[in-house]
Amino acid sequence: MSRLVALLTDFGTVDPYAGQVAAVVAAAANAQVVSITHGVPPHAIHLGAHIVDASLDVLPRGSVLLAVVDPGVGTARRGLIVRRAGRWLVGPDNGLLTSTTGSMRCWAINRPETWRASVAPTFHARDIFAPIAARLANYERPDQLGSPVRNPIQVDRPCARLDGSTVRGEVVHVDIFGNLITNVSAAVLQTSHMLEARVGGVRIKGLAVTYGSGNAPVALIGSWNLLEIAIPGGSAAQTLGSCVGDRITVCLTDA
């Protein structure tokens, strides 16, 4: 049975990088190769990590996620295999693949005989990570590809903080529709309470269920399982003048 290999990078689609990585995987593995996105902003490890977290559940168990946002390519940083939630993750050891919650196992990618014969120091995604992802898709075991490690890098993500009845976070992404995706997770919000979100000088009471709820700005839990601010039929980023890095405050009340 063929496995799924999903690609997630900051390579964009103008240059040949993403296509070459996909070609190496497809040539070496009995697998279906799909792309989650190649539109992560360059070097945005924090956002890439959020997208990794949001994407795992849509991949079948046993799938391989090849994720590369790698400003340290060619340096002493390790390559990593991670086992999380029944999926395999392959990429740089810079916090992109790891999680601060849940269990995981990790292996350092350190067996050159399993890589491409010629490795460009500027393109580990193609020459090291893609062959490893293909081997995992072909049911090779991680112990054949690397050595177990117990100290993977944990990305220093900007995390929402709960301060009494107030959650303090920030906008981490503006999607193509202008929705403001924040780092306030559904788990942080006590959704049995009423809440008031404040961003861009606007106060939004309560949680909506859909993007089309009314005409005013709405707060809702989106598909990333994170709090979003949206304008039904419009762009919250444009209407509120908000962008990545803007602060958001959520006040929780009992009434």
Side-chain angles (χ1 to χ4, degrees):
M1 179 179 178
S2 64
R3 279 181 163 171
L4 182 73
V5 177
L7 308 180
L8 186 159
T9 78
D10 61 349
F11 295 161
T13 56
V14 174
D15 298 307
Y17 309 133
Q20 289 184 9
V21 170
V24 170
V25 174
N30 178 25
Q32 181 182 3
V33 182
V34 301
S35 293
I36 299 293
T37 183
H38 298 294
V40 178
H43 315 311
I45 297 171
H46 296 157
L47 177 58
H50 280 298
I51 299 174
V52 167
D53 291 348
S55 301
L56 283 184
D57 281 350
V58 303
L59 302 177
R61 294 181 70 86
S63 297
V64 182
L65 176 59
L66 173 52
V68 183
V69 179
D70 193 14
V73 62
T75 69
R77 70 96 187 90
R78 295 179 297 202
L80 204 64
I81 298 169
V82 177
R83 180 72 171 176
R84 278 177 60 188
R87 285 85 173 171
W88 298 105
L89 295 85
V90 178
D93 183 17
N94 59 10
L96 178 68
L97 310 179
T98 53
S99 173
T100 56
T101 61
S103 61
M104 63 182 177
R105 297 177 64 193
C106 303
W107 294 260
I109 298 171
N110 56 14
R111 308 233 171 120
E113 67 273 14
T114 63
W115 311 343
R116 293 187 77 215
S118 178
V119 174
T122 58
F123 205 177
H124 287 184
R126 180 192 65 191
D127 298 338
I128 297 178
F129 301 147
I132 294 297
R135 288 175 179 273
L136 289 168
N138 287 340
Y139 294 89
E140 292 191 34
R141 302 300 305 165
D143 289 333
Q144 299 173 305
L145 308 173
S147 303
V149 295
R150 298 182 181 275
N151 61 336
I153 299 297
Q154 298 286 331
V155 70
D156 185 20
R157 305 185 201 180
C159 295
R161 296 180 292 107
L162 180 60
D163 180 13
S165 60
T166 301
V167 181
R168 304 183 190 280
E170 66 181 65
V171 177
V172 296
H173 181 57
V174 177
D175 72 12
I176 194 172
F177 301 104
N179 301 319
L180 307 177
I181 300 174
T182 78
N183 62 349
V184 179
S185 70
V188 171
L189 298 178
Q190 303 173 39
T191 52
S192 61
H193 292 61
M194 294 295 291
L195 61 81
E196 180 182 81
R198 303 173 185 174
V199 62
V202 173
R203 297 186 177 190
I204 305 167
K205 292 188 176 182
L207 275 179
V209 177
T210 69
Y211 292 113
S213 300
N215 298 310
V218 296
L220 72 160
I221 302 299
S223 61
W224 296 29
N225 210 32
L226 298 171
L227 181 71
E228 299 183 20
I229 306 300
I231 298 288
S235 166
Q238 183 175 2
T239 301
L240 304 180
S242 295
C243 60
V244 171
D246 281 1
R247 301 296 181 182
I248 182 168
T249 302
V250 183
C251 298
L252 307 174
T253 64
D254 289 315

